[in-house]
Amino acid sequence: MTRQFQHVIDGQSIAPDSGEWIDSVNPATGEVWARFARGNASDVAAAVAAAVTACGRPDWRDDSANRSAVLHAIADLLDQGFEQLIEVEVNDNGKRIREVRGQFAGLGGWYRHFAVALADLQVEALSLDQPGVSARLELMPYGVVGAITAWNSPLMIAAWKVAPALAGGNAVIIKPSEMASASTVMFAELLAPVVPKGLINVITGYGHEAGAAIVAADDVRKVTFTGSEIGGSKVAATAAEHVKPATLELGGKSPQIVFADADLENTVNGVLSGIFLSNGQSCVAGSRLIIQEPIRDLFLQRLQERVASLRFGDPLRDDTDIGPIANKPQFDKVLAMLDRAKQAGAKVFAGGHAVKVEGFENGYFIAPTILEAVATDSEIWQQEVFGPVLCVRSFATADEAIRLANDSNYGLAAGVWSGDADFASSVASRIDAGTVYINHYRSVSACAPVGGIKKSGYGRELGPNAIRDFMQEKAVWHGTAPLPNPFQR
Ligand code: TXE
């Protein structure tokens, strides 16, 4: 039976004003399993009105102890209730249940971190360079924040935006992807008993309709976006037109630089998890393997062996290694890029094609793919695939490796693998990316900023400034000496 997911506005489940719905296809079966409300400007206006009221209440805006208590309550409820969100997420985007369970078991932790961190938001005295005055720095919330998220990890991406935004005294309107909205709607409904009405609203629908209406709404004072480069640039343009800041977390083509002295098995594990977890549908996917010539053949052989042993299957089963690609447009996009790469002469070491899985014949499965790009200006080497595709090039010297790594329009993440920690550290300093991992990959922490440079976007999420990024500074001046007559002759 098709399940139905409505908007969540002012703590209530609300049907779409348009009366229209968007089908969601289960990517393992190819069948419609749910439908989402098709949001429009009228739905957005209702959510904005609720959010304005909610974040204007003094017990929210001015009471950090209350905000902390609400965030703790959200964290507790997620710790107790996350299991009930897992299956809808797997049905929606095909992510393996083990990965979804791992992400959801950690959801409460993001909210708990910011429940504690907001205690650091103290009013600061400013030391001025003038006599007769003193001043202090206050932080004030923006008010209503629009949080636009993608289909690959909807609730983790939402947590990175919602938790610090609430900690800073804002209210949020989340617009999940039209490809995978179910878990976000259920998340808001689950939290309704502990979140004051109107602080967390969810409007589902298309980006150009519901998403664009959120960005354009006058009372939405800041936007935070995760998604494609095209979507991000449209959001930024609309935000600029309406004079509001936007933070953009876009794609990547992250390099993994492997030096000949790296620990072989550890590095193989890191490279495999970097590209093939979540089928490569991760913004930090380590999709370019830049490997030193002496170990190239052995390393590729180890990767091929490991990839050959992976089991395709039902993403709801714990023993499945490879589930489907998240949706049909993404499946078609990945296969088209693979076809073009092969036509351009790429040498395929593993995969490179769709896979029929018994019992899931209409599912969107693609074999984990390893290929050697012929040219550094080829599409497959330069463009984000957002799929299970690892491109390989070899190098002789560290300078060459760094040049290859930095020859990209993106700059989100990178990995450096070497047995010499000091050397690896010096290489890391020369990589153009928002995050560089040494002999490690993929970890995220509320304490470390995440974000990109170049076409990977701008602004950061998480890290020590996460709450401040959802607040604005106010300088409050006090005169402490009598003022002279300004027109005294
Ligand atoms: O992204 P979109 P899609 C990349 C990946 C993928 C491609 C397309 O390469 O192949 O993006 O994915 C909303 N105003 N990433 O189509 O369209 C949209 O409704 C306001 C990288 O999903 O950018 C959704 O909620 N909102 C990535 C969100 O933006 C708009 C994660 C993302 O959708 C909008 C996902 C508009 N004009 C895809 N247009 C990552 N960095 O992790 C779209 N949206």
Side-chain angles (χ1 to χ4, degrees), residues 221-272:
R221 296 304 333 150
K222 175 173 168 122
V223 177
T224 160
F225 173 92
T226 299
S228 66
E229 196 184 312
I230 295 174
S233 86
K234 284 189 184 148
V235 163
T238 307
E241 215 176 292
H242 293 264
V243 196
K244 64 185 78 171
T247 300
L248 305 182
E249 215 271 80
L250 311 178
K253 192 78 182 176
S254 299
Q256 297 269 25
I257 305 179
V258 180
F259 288 95
D261 63 352
D263 178 311
L264 184 71
E265 287 311 311
N266 188 48
T267 309
V268 166
N269 282 334
V271 169
L272 283 174

Side-chain angles (χ1 to χ4, degrees), residues 148-152 175-178 207 211-212 225-228 231 234-235 249-251 283 330 333 384 386:
I148 298 174
T149 60
W151 43 257
N152 53 337
K175 213 301 279 169
S177 166
E178 57 273 31
F225 173 92
T226 299
S228 66
K234 284 189 184 148
V235 163
E249 215 271 80
L250 311 178
C283 50
Q330 191 62 21
K333 174 188 158 184
E384 180 179 51
F386 219 62

Side-chain angles (χ1 to χ4, degrees), residues 49-113:
V52 167
T53 304
C55 65
R57 289 192 193 105
D59 66 347
W60 184 250
R61 193 192 142 99
D62 304 325
D63 187 347
S64 60
N66 183 36
R67 300 204 300 270
S68 177
V70 169
L71 285 162
H72 274 298
I74 291 175
D76 292 345
L77 208 51
L78 287 170
D79 285 352
Q80 293 154 20
F82 72 88
E83 291 275 355
Q84 58 194 282
L85 305 172
I86 293 175
E87 192 172 332
V88 296
E89 179 86 330
V90 178
N91 289 339
D92 234 3
N93 68 9
K95 199 193 270 279
R96 289 184 316 147
I97 192 162
R98 280 170 58 191
E99 287 183 52
V100 175
R101 191 181 294 118
Q103 263 189 5
F104 285 11
L107 280 179
W110 300 111
Y111 290 87
R112 192 165 290 110
H113 172 89

Side-chain angles (χ1 to χ4, degrees), residues 120-441:
D120 296 338
L121 296 173
Q122 304 295 347
V123 174
E124 292 165 32
L126 293 170
S127 67
L128 296 177
D129 52 1
Q130 292 169 26
V133 280
S134 69
R136 66 174 194 272
L137 182 70
E138 285 184 5
L139 293 170
M140 46 186 178
Y142 277 95
V144 182
V145 169
I148 298 174
T149 60
W151 43 257
N152 53 337
S153 295
L155 288 186
M156 189 175 78
I157 295 170
W160 297 3
K161 302 177 188 307
V162 173
L166 293 183
N170 303 281
V172 293
I173 300 173
I174 312 173
K175 213 301 279 169
S177 166
E178 57 273 31
M179 301 284 180
S181 301
S183 61
T184 307
V185 172
M186 279 186 72
F187 155 87
E189 288 174 351
L190 172 73
L191 299 182
V194 298
V195 177
K197 284 190 334 179
L199 285 178
I200 298 180
N201 306 277
V202 177
I203 296 290
T204 59
Y206 292 114
H208 65 278
E209 293 176 353
I214 291 171
V215 182
D218 275 338
D219 282 324
V220 172
R221 296 304 333 150
K222 175 173 168 122
V223 177
T224 160
F225 173 92
T226 299
S228 66
E229 196 184 312
I230 295 174
S233 86
K234 284 189 184 148
V235 163
T238 307
E241 215 176 292
H242 293 264
V243 196
K244 64 185 78 171
T247 300
L248 305 182
E249 215 271 80
L250 311 178
K253 192 78 182 176
S254 299
Q256 297 269 25
I257 305 179
V258 180
F259 288 95
D261 63 352
D263 178 311
L264 184 71
E265 287 311 311
N266 188 48
T267 309
V268 166
N269 282 334
V271 169
L272 283 174
S273 77
I275 185 64
F276 296 129
L277 281 185
S278 302
N279 263 325
Q281 300 167 126
S282 157
C283 50
V284 296
S287 51
R288 288 185 298 149
L289 173 62
I290 299 175
I291 185 147
Q292 204 158 21
E293 273 149 16
I295 56 156
R296 173 189 176 277
D297 293 347
L298 177 61
F299 198 85
L300 281 177
Q301 186 195 326
R302 290 295 294 129
L303 284 179
Q304 283 168 301
E305 288 163 7
R306 294 284 294 278
V307 162
S309 71
L310 299 176
R311 281 167 304 199
F312 295 87
D314 184 351
L316 280 168
R317 285 183 58 135
D318 271 317
D319 58 359
T320 292
D321 296 318
I322 305 284
I325 299 297
N327 53 63
K328 183 72 163 55
Q330 191 62 21
F331 176 73
D332 291 341
K333 174 188 158 184
V334 175
L335 290 178
M337 287 184 84
L338 287 177
D339 280 349
R340 289 195 292 272
K342 285 186 267 184
Q343 276 161 23
K347 188 171 167 195
V348 179
F349 299 114
H353 51 78
V355 174
K356 281 268 174 257
V357 176
E358 204 185 324
F360 295 89
E361 285 76 6
N362 295 323
Y364 310 137
F365 294 85
I366 295 181
T369 298
I370 304 170
L371 53 78
E372 192 158 50
V374 274
T376 54
D377 61 357
S378 57
E379 179 192 56
I380 203 73
W381 182 258
Q382 287 292 342
Q383 299 300 318
E384 180 179 51
V385 179
F386 219 62
V389 180
L390 180 67
C391 300
V392 185
R393 302 251 340 162
S394 53
F395 69 90
T397 66
D399 281 349
E400 199 187 332
I402 291 163
R403 240 190 341 267
L404 272 171
N406 289 341
D407 175 24
S408 171
N409 280 330
Y410 298 106
L412 192 59
V416 180
W417 303 86
S418 164
D420 181 339
D422 290 341
F423 168 72
S425 184
S426 71
V427 171
S429 297
R430 294 171 63 194
I431 303 291
D432 301 333
T435 300
V436 184
Y437 300 98
I438 297 170
N439 295 331
H440 191 81
Y441 205 71

